Amino acid sequence: MTETFDPRALAAGLHSLRQAGRQEATDTFALPADLHQAMEAQDLLAAADSISSNAWKVTVSPQGQAVTAPLHPYAEAVSGADIPWYPGLKFETEIAVRLGSDLPVRTGVPYSRTEVVEAISAVYLGAELLISAVKESGSVSFLLFVADRLGNSGYVLGPKLEKSVVDTVGGTPLKVTHVGRTIYDGPAQHPKGDVLTWLVDYANDGLRPETSLKAGALITTGTLSGAIELTEPGEIDIELGNSRLSFSVSKG
């Protein structure tokens, strides 16, 4: 692409596709050249979606750069969460953490995992919903995927768990049913083994905004079940050990 990248135009295009529940191929978009441009477009998309929740997802790029995106629509299961369903919608069981103290951008000695754990005030069972306006998600252009809020399409916060779960959740029995059918039944497994890997990476990213990782922020930490496509709307039930989360997805 030779034209000048316009983050506003990209955000508007992604927003209209998401509103319509549609996807376009990567080569139909003008691509951000770097993470700064991608985040600029993401911020404009978040503004177009009127996102105000202080809830975030963290992951890393194929090059190992930690990245975040806001979770939206954000709901708490106790209030009877109902997230829009679109064809291609995927689901992930996750652990979310709430910060009880700030993790300011730090130069010099990096944050240890122990310091990050000390900053966490609460741990929850959660569910992330995913669908990208980009047909290939992040497999062709990860920066485009960053602009598209890392494919997030909703988040449901479930019950509070013991804080020690961030150390022990790997291998915990996890069963998920959708419209009465079992779609996952096996041990909880994070792609990195440790659910806090990406949060620690992000805490130690000197390029992140000064406003990030403040007390009160909720951060979801990555899938324990892989990404599973939900082929139709309906009720989802998650059992992680003795904890349970139920909600539904319905036609948007």
Side-chain angles (χ1 to χ4, degrees):
M1 293 273 178
T2 51
E3 72 257 36
T4 309
F5 175 72
D6 179 356
R8 202 165 293 278
L10 176 57
L14 292 169
H15 180 67
S16 62
L17 286 169
R18 279 176 166 268
Q19 294 291 97
R22 288 179 48 233
Q23 296 179 305
E24 295 281 357
T26 301
D27 61 12
T28 63
F29 297 93
L31 302 179
D34 54 33
L35 187 60
H36 174 76
Q37 289 187 347
M39 290 303 294
E40 200 177 351
Q42 187 197 101
D43 289 345
L44 290 162
L45 176 60
D49 284 330
S50 304
I51 298 175
S52 57
S53 67
N54 190 13
W56 306 85
K57 66 181 291 185
V58 291
T59 188
V60 291
S61 75
Q63 290 74 38
Q65 171 67 47
V67 289
T68 60
L71 299 171
H72 178 80
Y74 169 77
E76 303 198 350
V78 289
S79 59
D82 197 350
I83 300 286
W85 176 88
Y86 298 99
L89 185 73
K90 291 182 178 175
F91 152 91
E92 296 180 348
T93 303
E94 305 200 352
I95 294 293
V97 301
R98 195 176 298 283
L99 296 182
S101 54
D102 295 354
L103 288 168
V105 176
R106 184 189 269 188
T107 53
V109 181
Y111 284 103
S112 66
R113 186 186 188 281
T114 303
E115 288 175 297
V116 172
V117 171
E118 283 169 357
I120 293 169
S121 60
V123 176
Y124 303 85
L125 176 59
E128 184 181 4
L129 288 310
L130 297 140
I131 191 167
S132 178
V134 184
K135 200 168 277 181
E136 303 87 354
S137 297
S139 63
V140 176
S141 169
F142 189 79
L143 291 172
L144 180 61
F145 191 53
V146 169
D148 191 33
R149 296 200 291 107
L150 295 168
N152 175 260
S153 186
Y155 196 81
V156 180
L157 191 72
K160 196 183 270 195
L161 306 173
E162 292 292 328
K163 188 173 168 180
S164 59
V165 160
V166 296
D167 300 320
T168 62
V169 71
T172 303
L174 171 61
K175 184 175 182 180
V176 183
T177 56
H178 176 229
V179 202
R181 289 192 306 273
T182 300
I183 57 172
Y184 186 89
D185 191 357
Q189 292 177 302
H190 189 272
K192 291 293 176 187
D194 177 7
V195 294
L196 295 184
T197 297
W198 293 330
L199 177 54
V200 174
D201 287 348
Y202 188 64
N204 288 318
D205 176 18
L207 302 175
R208 66 181 168 92
E210 294 286 342
T211 52
S212 60
L213 299 185
K214 297 285 190 186
L218 184 89
I219 299 106
T220 194
T221 57
T223 185
L224 300 174
S225 59
I228 302 163
E229 187 167 342
L230 302 177
T231 54
E232 60 181 316
E235 183 88 3
I236 295 168
D237 291 289
I238 304 166
E239 291 178 62
L240 177 69
N242 298 320
S243 299
R244 190 161 187 167
L245 166 57
S246 298
F247 65 98
S248 57
V249 289
S250 58
K251 278 206 168 171

